Amino acid sequence: MKPIVNLGIFVADAAFRAARMPRMGETILGSGFALGPGGKGSNQSVASAMAGGKAHFITRLGNDDFAAMARSIWDKAGVTPEVTIDAESFTGAAMIFLDEATGNNAIIVTPGAANRISVADVENRAALIEGAAIFITQLEQPIPAAQRGLEIARAAGVTTILNPAPAASLTDAMLGLCDYLTPNESEAEALTGLPVTDPTSAETAARALLARGVGAVVVTLGGQGALYCDGATTLHCPAMRLGKVVDTTGAGDAFNGGFAVALSEGMPIEAALRFASATAGISVTRPGTAAAMPSRAEIDALLG
Ligand code: RIB
């Protein structure tokens, strides 16, 4: 089996559950707290490994306790680390506000050492990327590193996925390197300037992105599912509702990690979207991000 190579960040997620966000200058009492492994690239790698993929994760860590947390979750999930240790920096962290009523979240992330991932770091892993089934990255580490990874993958004929999170403005040159672009609603809006609120408006935004050179777009729409469009085919995959939504943080990562596995196994697009939706649907019923990713057995049981 060829690997799924993910380039991105690991951070420690400090998640606070409360009725609402504090206003500036205000202190409020929360109802819950958890410290656990996070970072979009790491979460996606964990999701891929748990879902049956051979996941390799390229990143930078400091030499500290949060780096040990990273190694522990990767060991548990079966992710192969491709790490540069950066003793002059620190492993990053994210502050996550969790709305106790809805499970929705707001995040501040400081990537720390991963903000120093360089083009050279990526070029050092060129052989790994060239031998992959899938190369996937996000925008939490510097964009030139992400672009270099996509260039190496594209030149080798490797399927590329860019999860453009957090939102950033991207050149057509970068978008043209993406076989699949997987924004959520707000990222699709930021990339296109078009409002995205439902599957119909998601398709309009997707077509605008196709016109800029993307191969296919999957807009994730939370409870409204996901909208796929490649110009010839448009598909709407409904969200899988599997009980109480406890924590939506990392749902996009679950979707992307599962989607990468499905593509690496050669599933047709409709089945790949369902596999990704099942991965995300299970993850939101559990607290945490990486810790909430389902096993392949759980996904298969759900999909029958
Ligand atoms: O997508 C969720 C992730 O975004 C969190 O784990 C947090 O670390 C941020 O990177």
Side-chain angles (χ1 to χ4, degrees), residues 262-291:
L263 292 180
S264 77
E265 292 182 6
M267 287 186 205
I269 190 64
E270 201 159 353
L273 293 169
R274 270 174 51 75
F275 190 92
S277 292
T279 311
I282 298 169
S283 77
V284 300
T285 64
R286 302 167 177 171
T289 54

Side-chain angles (χ1 to χ4, degrees), residues 10-242:
F10 169 89
V11 295
D13 283 351
F16 296 80
R17 205 170 275 274
R20 63 173 176 81
M21 281 214 258
R23 286 186 287 274
M24 194 56 72
E26 182 188 31
T27 301
I28 63 170
L29 290 175
S31 56
F33 172 76
L35 182 66
K40 294 183 194 300
S42 177
N43 294 342
Q44 291 172 15
S45 298
V46 169
S48 291
M50 296 281 294
K54 188 176 172 197
H56 288 242
F57 183 48
I58 304 172
T59 195
R60 261 185 194 242
L61 298 174
N63 189 8
D64 47 30
D65 289 349
F66 287 169
M69 182 194 283
R71 293 200 184 272
S72 160
I73 186 73
W74 298 337
D75 272 2
K76 204 167 140 199
V79 175
T80 304
E82 308 286 348
V83 174
T84 304
I85 294 293
D86 189 337
E88 287 168 16
S89 187
F90 62 96
T91 307
M95 188 218 77
I96 300 180
F97 162 74
L98 271 178
D99 183 320
E100 64 191 17
T102 63
N104 289 335
N105 64 83
I107 302 177
I108 301 174
V109 59
T110 299
N115 204 32
R116 289 152 52 104
I117 294 174
S118 64
V119 166
D121 286 354
V122 177
E123 288 176 342
N124 288 340
R125 310 282 174 180
L128 176 70
I129 296 170
E130 287 162 356
I134 308 284
F135 174 75
I136 175 167
T137 190
Q138 320 74 34
L139 302 175
E140 290 189 312
Q141 75 291 321
I143 291 178
Q147 178 153 351
R148 190 70 191 112
L150 292 167
E151 284 168 358
I152 292 168
R154 172 55 63 85
V158 172
T159 298
T160 57
I161 305 174
L162 175 62
N163 174 223
S169 109
L170 297 175
T171 62
D172 288 0
M174 179 133 174
L175 291 172
L177 294 167
C178 304
D179 292 314
Y180 297 92
L181 188 76
T182 59
N184 68 12
E185 303 97 317
S186 62
E187 291 148 6
E189 281 193 16
L191 281 167
T192 63
L194 299 167
V196 177
T197 55
D198 56 17
T200 305
S201 51
E203 181 176 352
T204 305
R207 288 187 182 278
L209 291 164
L210 295 177
R212 293 184 61 194
V214 174
V217 181
V218 184
V219 184
T220 54
L221 296 161
Q224 295 187 84
L227 186 287
Y228 168 88
C229 183
D230 63 14
T233 304
T234 300
L235 298 167
H236 175 237
C237 180
M240 295 197 192
R241 295 173 191 277
L242 306 169

